[in-house]
Amino acid sequence: MLRGLPDGWMGAHEGTGTWTPFDVLGHLIHGERTDWVRRLQIIFEHADSRAFDPFDRFAQFEESRGKTLPQLLEEFATLRADNVRHLRALGLTDADLDRKGLHPTLGPVTLRNLLATWVAHDLDHLVQVARVMARQYSDEVGPWSQYLRIISGAQG
Amino acid sequence: MLRGLPDGWMGAHEGTGTWTPFDVLGHLIHGERTDWVRRLQIIFEHADSRAFDPFDRFAQFEESRGKTLPQLLEEFATLRADNVRHLRALGLTDADLDRKGLHPTLGPVTLRNLLATWVAHDLDHLVQVARVMARQYSDEVGPWSQYLRIISGAQG
């Protein structure tokens, strides 16, 4: 979705404090490194007797500094492939999916919740990136803006 | 985004009258066939002296009938590649982008508006597909739903 796009798209955002596609990619990388598989391991080792470490939602601002978009894409692809390979090798059973964990603020969760959230979290940020990019064209689309929910903000 | 996914994802929707990823793909195909490039031609040939033909937002329900997702993906990829090749070959200038057209309900538009809308329309439907898919996991994500705007519906 992002590979080969001009730099202007990568630095686009929706105002102060909002994230660019570049920021989102760094956030997904940090999740691959410290969140999903790490929390899976904590569930296997400690069940709900030990809370997950809190996730740093702002780590990417430091970690991505000085990197290029192609570098981040490569980094994400490698980490994700490793993590999916690791997950497959575990051969999780239905019983495993019911294993209990403890989220530091949300409380009791299951491994099933964690894995479903890994997927939905990807899609959530994909929506964010698409929205940020489309809104760069808010003016260029002219009167069509009223038909484009991604720009008009209409629910549907 | 859709290639290789289990059938269950392709038929997912958000309730009566809402579209599945399969429906969205058919809609994008119909646009490639009858909308974007056709309207560009009308602008070049008639400027704003002739309105575009109305776009049929429901054509895919007939046209996609009996087709498989891989067939639709292949069809879309071919049509889009042809259309982008056609667009590139035109070598549009800034003056061309200001050419005037007439939308049957929106009224006066420019070629610039049309091309920007082609892009934003893709992203709009990409958001729709991501949302439909993520919401299939509304229950499975458990308490994480409150952190996932794609599921909670929160604006942000």
Side-chain angles (χ1 to χ4, degrees), chain A residues 1 39 52 103 105-106 108-109 112-114 116-117 119-121 123-124 126-128 130-131 133-134 137 140-144 146-151 153 155-156, chain B residues 1 39 52 103 105-106 108-109 112-114 116-117 119-121 123-124 126-128 130-131 133-134 137 140-144 146-151 153 155-156:
Chain A
M1 184 175 173
R39 290 179 170 190
F52 306 142
H103 187 284
T105 54
L106 295 172
V109 295
R112 185 187 312 273
N113 297 153
L114 179 72
T117 301
V119 174
H121 178 265
L123 293 168
D124 205 10
L126 192 148
V127 165
Q128 179 183 23
R131 191 183 64 227
M133 290 172 62
Y137 276 5
E140 281 84 350
V141 299
W144 266 291
Q146 63 188 276
Y147 288 176
L148 295 162
R149 290 182 294 186
I150 200 170
I151 287 176
Q155 299 286 289
Chain B
M1 184 174 172
R39 290 181 169 188
F52 306 143
H103 187 282
T105 54
L106 295 173
V109 295
R112 186 188 310 275
N113 298 153
L114 179 72
T117 302
V119 174
H121 179 265
L123 293 168
D124 205 9
L126 192 147
V127 164
Q128 180 183 21
R131 191 184 63 228
M133 290 172 62
Y137 276 3
E140 280 84 350
V141 299
W144 265 291
Q146 63 187 278
Y147 287 176
L148 295 163
R149 288 181 297 185
I150 200 169
I151 287 176
Q155 298 286 290

Side-chain angles (χ1 to χ4, degrees), chain B residues 24-71:
Chain B
V24 171
L25 188 54
H27 168 71
L28 293 176
I29 287 171
H30 192 67
E32 294 301 307
R33 277 199 201 290
T34 71
D35 190 326
W36 310 109
V37 167
R38 177 65 188 129
R39 290 181 169 188
L40 179 148
Q41 288 165 339
I42 292 174
I43 288 176
F44 266 85
E45 289 168 22
H46 304 280
D48 54 0
S49 70
R50 174 199 183 298
F52 306 143
D53 300 316
F55 181 75
D56 181 355
R57 290 184 62 253
F58 302 99
Q60 68 275 10
F61 295 111
E62 187 56 40
E63 289 179 359
S64 300
R65 203 186 300 274
K67 294 185 181 170
T68 65
L69 184 86
Q71 283 174 326

Side-chain angles (χ1 to χ4, degrees), chain A residues 4-43:
Chain A
L5 289 184
D7 287 345
W9 289 106
M10 293 312 97
H13 57 77
E14 299 170 287
T16 309
T18 64
W19 292 4
T20 65
F22 186 86
D23 296 333
V24 171
L25 187 54
H27 168 71
L28 293 176
I29 287 171
H30 192 66
E32 294 301 306
R33 277 198 201 291
T34 70
D35 190 327
W36 311 107
V37 167
R38 177 64 190 132
R39 290 179 170 190
L40 180 149
Q41 288 166 338
I42 292 174
I43 287 177

Side-chain angles (χ1 to χ4, degrees), chain B residues 82-115:
Chain B
D82 286 350
N83 284 338
V84 169
R85 200 155 37 230
H86 176 74
L87 185 68
R88 286 216 168 106
L90 290 174
L92 297 176
T93 63
D94 268 350
D96 286 330
L97 294 178
D98 290 330
R99 284 174 183 263
K100 292 182 198 314
L102 185 62
H103 187 282
T105 54
L106 295 173
V109 295
T110 64
L111 181 53
R112 186 188 310 275
N113 298 153
L114 179 72
L115 296 181

Side-chain angles (χ1 to χ4, degrees), chain A residues 15-125:
Chain A
T16 309
T18 64
W19 292 4
T20 65
F22 186 86
D23 296 333
V24 171
L25 187 54
H27 168 71
L28 293 176
I29 287 171
H30 192 66
E32 294 301 306
R33 277 198 201 291
T34 70
D35 190 327
W36 311 107
V37 167
R38 177 64 190 132
R39 290 179 170 190
L40 180 149
Q41 288 166 338
I42 292 174
I43 287 177
F44 265 86
E45 290 169 21
H46 303 280
D48 56 359
S49 69
R50 173 197 183 300
F52 306 142
D53 300 316
F55 181 75
D56 181 355
R57 290 183 63 253
F58 302 99
Q60 68 273 12
F61 296 111
E62 186 56 38
E63 288 178 1
S64 299
R65 201 186 300 275
K67 295 185 180 169
T68 65
L69 185 84
Q71 283 174 327
L72 291 190
L73 286 171
E74 184 63 34
E75 198 172 339
F76 177 70
T78 303
L79 288 165
R80 171 58 62 92
D82 286 349
N83 284 338
V84 169
R85 200 156 37 230
H86 176 74
L87 186 67
R88 286 216 168 104
L90 289 174
L92 296 177
T93 64
D94 269 351
D96 285 331
L97 295 177
D98 290 330
R99 284 175 185 262
K100 293 182 199 313
L102 185 62
H103 187 284
T105 54
L106 295 172
V109 295
T110 64
L111 180 53
R112 185 187 312 273
N113 297 153
L114 179 72
L115 296 182
T117 301
W118 196 358
V119 174
H121 178 265
D122 273 4
L123 293 168
D124 205 10
H125 285 292

